[in-house]
Each structure stands twice: as structure tokens, then as C-alpha cells.
Amino acid sequence: MPNLNETLYFIVNPMAGNGGSMKVWEQAEGMLKSDVVPYKVFFTEEKGHAFRLTEEILSRTARETRIIAVGGDGTINEMVNGALPFPHAIIGALAGGSGNDYVRGIQQTKSVEEALRLFQDNASKAIDIGQYETDGRFGYFVNSLGMGVDAEISAEADRSPLKKWFNLVKAGKLIYLILFLKTIFTYKPGDMELIVDGKRHSLKKVWFIVIANQPYFGGGIKISPQSKLDDGRFNVIAVHDIAWLKLLAVFITVLWGGHLNIKNVVSFTGNMIKMKNHGSVKIQSDGEIVGVEEVAAEVLEGKIHVMIKD
């Protein structure tokens, strides 16, 4: 491992992955000590703590600062939101959660060792992120923003006792598949209005609409294979007016991108998106529930620097 004379800052969420994040950190810390890499580590104590720790660390540094989340997509989302006002921040992550879509789709490292090598490299890249507004509140997302059954599944996964057991056997992402199979029998798709760069689309019986900044969501589902991190636009995927049996076919063909050829799976590209549902349909940002019923989002081009595999 290269040995740069530069401190790495780690923010560990001990609760992520039902405590699996601590095993990831212990492995990483052993490697850091073995290679005499300078580092500092902070542990979160509650929801929102990663956001505050990120702000505190970056407010006390002036030069480029590599700051790394050890947890899941919720932890990296908090870190990204905390880092945005600081142009000297460079973001990374060690996969310690259930879904880990950021590591899978953006950082693209396969192991702790590979990630640590990347963190010690001088390379970084500016990528796009999304800003959303819902009910007068603003926030940011790096993976995706969705409304519909995907948000319902995210909310259910967060409180499901099954998540604990699947995380124990390192199969956390299977919880999303199981809850999908459960939820499609009870979820009632409603009508939604989608506005893409000013053009209005009225969609009937919508299962979900996802605004994708990168290919993956829901713990490894390649929902948007054409998404790029630096093209100044979102890919928007909507699934509507489709029977639940055919919806199963959508989630099978998603493995190779074939879902984009299925009737009633529609896609758009744009940099300003609005979604509205006349009901209490949930909205998720990087897997975290942020509101209901209506949301607007826009691309912020090259807004944050990340450590990324070439």
C-alpha cells in the first residue's frame, strides 16, 4: 500500500450492517496500523451524527481532506450532505451496511484492501449529485431519489427484524428482494405526475419512479444502466400501469438491463425533475425516507470530489 504523509479521517457507524461495520473497521484498522498510515477515527452515536462529525472535521481543515464513511448508504448520505459546503473534501466509503450501492456503483471497490489502496492514492474526481426539495426542506442525494414502492421497501427494511438476521450471515441485500416480493401483494399503485425539464407526463398506476445518479439502487439492483456520474443529468425510470406478475419480470430482466425494453417501463433524462402523487406515498433519498407526496430535484454538476476507481 502506498504510504502518503496525509491523515485519513474515518467516520464509523457502529450500528450499520447490524454491527458488521465494526468488523469491517477492525479489518481496515489492522491494515492501516500495519502500513503505518496516519488516520483518525470517529464513531457515530445516533442518526445525523455522521453529518455533524463531517462538518466538524472539515471546518478544522484547510487542505484537501480525505474523509471516509464506514457504514451503509445512509452513512455516506449524511457524510455527503455534511461535506457539500467544503470544497476541500474528498469522499470515500468502506462497505459496512446492507445495500452498499455507493461502493458498488460509484467507488467500485471490491474489498477493504482495494478500498484502502484507493484512499491512499492522490486521484479524485468531481461527480454530480442531486439536490431535492420536499415540503420546504432541502437535502442532497448521491445514489438515487425515489417515490413509490421502492421507498416503501426502504422504510420496511429499516425496521424489519429480518434485516438483522440477513446481516449476520452477510446477505443483507437479500432483505430488499424479500420485502419486494412481500410488498407487491399489498402496495396499491396510484397516479403520479412527472415533470422532466418542464415537460409534463401523467402516469397511471405507478409502482415507482426513481431519479438515478448512478446505475444501482435497492442493494444492487441495476435499475439505470445508462446513468453516468458526470454528464450533468439524471436518468429517470418509471414503472407504471403494469400487473404485479409482469412486475416480477421487470425485476428479473433488471439483472441485464432488459427491463428498459418492457412496455410501461419508461425512461427519461433531464436535469430538473418534479414528482407528485395525490396521496401519502413515501419518498426515499439514498434509502432514507425524507418526505411524502411531492418532491423536486435538480442536478448539481461536479459538486463533490470522490475517490473513485478508474
Side-chain angles (χ1 to χ4, degrees), residues 116-149:
L116 290 178
R117 286 198 302 267
L118 176 65
F119 302 156
Q120 284 284 283
D121 194 334
N122 277 320
S124 66
K125 179 179 181 178
I127 66 167
D128 304 337
I129 65 167
Q131 180 184 56
Y132 69 84
E133 179 186 5
T134 180
D135 196 25
R137 301 186 305 275
F138 289 86
Y140 303 91
F141 61 96
V142 68
N143 293 327
S144 68
L145 182 79
M147 176 185 282
V149 71

Side-chain angles (χ1 to χ4, degrees), residues 151-164:
E152 295 289 339
I153 291 168
S154 293
E156 179 71 15
D158 203 40
R159 59 179 181 263
S160 174
L162 290 174
K163 190 173 184 178
K164 170 182 177 181

